[in-house]
Amino acid sequence: MNKSKLKQTLTNLKKLLIVMVVIGAAKNAAAQQPLRVVVAGLNHDHVHGILSQYGKGKVDIVGIAEPNKQLWQKFGKIYHLPESLFASDLKQLVVQKKPDAVLGYNAVGKHLEVVEICAPLGIPVMVEKPLAATLAQAKQIEALANKYHIKVLTNFETTWYPSYADVYNTVEKDSIGRIRKMVVHDGHQGPKEIGCSPEFLSWLTDPVLNGAGALNDFGCYGADLMTWLMKGRKPIAVTAVARHYKPAVYPKVEDDATIIVEYPEATGLIEASWNWPFSIKDLEVFGETGYLHAFNNEDITSRMRENIKGSKKAGPLAEQIASPIAYLTAVLRNKLPGTDDLSSLKYNMIVMEILDAAKRSAATSKRVVL
C-alpha cells in the first residue's frame, strides 16, 4: 500500500472511530435519561409517590390523563404542575406523547381499559396493585399483553422492602430449611379512618370498581409474596373467611379477610384487614429448622431450632430493584427480564387466581381446589 492510500485509510478509520464514539455517547446519554411516562388517573392516593419522584427528576411525566378536572387543580397546586400536562383522553394523549410506558393510578376495575388502549399501540403498562378487580379482567389483560407483546407489570409497595428481599435470600441459601408456613399481615384501621381521599374511597369501597374490599386491597400482598416464595407455583387449594365488622362504614364490601393458601409442602395464611388497631405490613416464614420475621421494610428477627435468636436491619436493595421506577426502567431497557418476579404478569395472574378462589370460598363457605 502506497503512502497516499495508507493516509486515506487512516483518515477513514479516524472518521469511523469518531462516529462510533458519538453513537456510543448518544446511546449512553439516552440510557441515562429518565423514563418518559404518562400517568393514567389521579384517583388513587398512591399517585403522590410518582408525582414526588417527578419533582425530584427521577421520572419524566409527559402527560396526565384524568377526566376529573378538579383533580387537575388539586395535584397541580400541590406539585406545581402546569395545566398543559393534563388531558381528559388517555388514547389521544399517548398517541401524541408516545411515552415509554403508562402508569395506572386509576380504579383497579379500570386497569383493563388502560391496557386496551396501550397494548395495540405497543406501550408497556405498570398498574398499582392488584392487577385487576376480577380474574376475568386479568385474563383479558393477559391476552392483550401476549397478543401485542407488551409488558404489563404490577406495583406493590412491599416489593421494594429490603427486609423481604433479605428473607427471600436467606431462604434461598437454605438457612432455615424448606418452607412449611408463611404468614402475611397487611392492613390498617381502615381507608376512611386513616383519611384516604374521597376520590380514592369512592372506588376502593365499591365491589365492582375494586372487586372486593379488604380481601382485594390487602389480600393481594400476601398472595404475591407467597407466589414469589413458592417460585411461581400455583397453590392446590384456597379457603377464605370474609367478615363485615363495620357495615355502617363500608356497607358494600367486607372489611376483613382471612385466607388459607395450600401448597403440597407448605401452607400460607393471609390476614388482610381494615380493622387493625394500627398499620401493619409484615411477613413471617417458618422453615424446617428456623423462623424469619420481617416486621417492616427493614427490621428482621430470626430464631433457629437450637433457640438461637437474632435480629438485624436489612441492607439496601440493588439500585435497579430499589423502587418501581428504577425497576420499570431496568425492565424496559432489557437489564431485567420482568417475567418471574413480584411485579411480573405471570406471578400476578396467580395472585388473581388466589383472590378469585378466596372470594368464591368466602361466598360458599367451601374449600376451593385450583
Side-chain angles (χ1 to χ4, degrees):
M1 182 181 294
N2 59 41
K3 290 183 178 181
S4 177
K5 287 185 177 181
L6 179 60
K7 185 176 181 180
Q8 184 60 46
T9 299
L10 290 172
T11 300
N12 291 339
L13 286 172
K14 287 180 181 178
K15 289 180 179 179
L16 180 60
L17 181 61
I18 291 170
V19 169
M20 291 174 68
V21 169
V22 170
I23 292 174
K27 286 184 176 180
N28 185 58
Q32 299 301 318
Q33 291 297 313
L35 281 184
R36 299 176 66 259
V37 304
V38 161
V39 172
L42 289 170
N43 62 6
H44 195 309
D45 284 358
H46 289 185
V47 77
H48 286 282
I50 189 66
L51 294 177
S52 295
Q53 291 294 298
Y54 173 65
K56 297 174 183 176
K58 301 292 186 181
V59 64
D60 183 11
I61 297 177
V62 296
I64 299 172
E66 170 53 59
N68 184 346
K69 292 190 177 181
Q70 289 183 338
L71 293 179
W72 295 15
Q73 297 174 356
K74 172 184 173 180
F75 287 100
K77 184 176 181 180
I78 294 172
Y79 293 99
H80 309 290
L81 307 172
E83 190 171 339
S84 59
L85 209 57
F86 298 93
S88 298
D89 187 274
L90 176 61
K91 185 173 183 180
Q92 288 182 3
L93 187 60
V94 295
V95 167
Q96 177 188 1
K97 297 296 184 178
K98 297 179 176 58
D100 297 319
V102 167
L103 308 181
Y105 288 94
N106 56 345
V108 172
K110 300 287 187 179
H111 287 173
L112 173 58
E113 295 178 10
V114 174
V115 178
E116 285 175 329
I117 290 169
C118 295
L121 298 172
I123 299 171
V125 176
M126 176 179 263
V127 298
E128 290 300 289
K129 60 79 193 171
L131 173 63
T134 66
L135 179 59
Q137 290 176 4
K139 288 181 177 178
Q140 289 178 268
I141 288 173
E142 181 184 41
L144 286 165
N146 291 335
K147 179 179 179 180
Y148 293 103
H149 307 290
I150 67 161
K151 291 286 186 185
V152 176
L153 304 166
T154 305
N155 178 38
F156 294 79
E157 176 194 341
T158 48
T159 298
W160 324 111
Y161 279 18
S163 59
Y164 287 13
D166 192 287
V167 167
Y168 182 90
N169 292 334
T170 301
V171 172
E172 281 292 281
K173 294 173 185 174
D174 198 28
S175 297
I176 63 168
R178 296 179 69 186
I179 294 174
R180 291 304 185 205
K181 180 163 288 193
M182 301 164 285
V183 182
V184 181
H185 304 100
D186 280 295
H188 47 48
Q189 301 94 314
K192 186 172 184 179
E193 289 83 347
I194 68 169
C196 289
S197 70
E199 295 83 12
F200 191 22
L201 284 170
S202 68
W203 65 261
L204 188 64
T205 60
D206 185 283
V208 175
L209 292 176
N210 193 38
L215 189 152
N216 259 23
D217 184 32
F218 281 120
C220 62
Y221 285 101
D224 191 46
L225 290 165
M226 290 173 191
T227 301
W228 181 50
L229 287 163
M230 291 287 104
K231 304 293 185 62
R233 285 174 288 161
K234 293 182 183 181
I236 57 175
V238 174
T239 306
V241 175
R243 304 300 298 273
H244 208 170
Y245 294 123
K246 297 185 283 195
V249 182
Y250 306 110
K252 299 179 182 179
V253 291
E254 82 294 332
D255 47 57
D256 187 271
T258 303
I259 307 167
I260 300 172
V261 187
E262 297 178 47
Y263 297 90
E265 76 284 6
T267 303
L269 180 63
I270 300 170
E271 298 186 18
S273 185
W274 291 345
N275 285 284
W276 296 115
F278 46 78
S279 294
I280 183 172
K281 284 189 175 74
D282 77 347
L283 168 66
E284 296 177 271
V285 179
F286 295 80
E288 294 169 310
T289 61
Y291 162 81
L292 302 167
H293 186 182
F295 281 95
N296 47 43
N297 67 335
E298 61 176 8
D299 295 303
I300 305 166
T301 62
S302 61
R303 181 172 177 176
M304 299 301 128
R305 180 174 285 169
E306 298 80 10
N307 205 29
I308 300 172
K309 299 178 182 179
S311 63
K312 68 175 181 178
K313 289 188 180 294
L317 295 171
E319 184 178 353
Q320 64 185 9
I321 57 169
S323 72
I325 288 298
Y327 165 83
L328 178 60
T329 301
V331 170
L332 297 186
R333 292 176 180 171
N334 298 313
K335 294 179 180 178
L336 287 175
T339 53
D340 293 89
D341 59 35
L342 288 158
S343 298
S344 68
L345 181 58
K346 176 182 175 181
Y347 280 21
N348 279 280
M349 288 304 299
I350 298 172
V351 170
M352 292 307 304
E353 288 192 54
I354 293 171
L355 296 178
D356 179 72
K359 291 180 219 177
R360 288 187 283 134
S361 174
T364 62
S365 300
K366 295 180 179 178
R367 174 176 178 263
V368 174
V369 176
L370 298 179

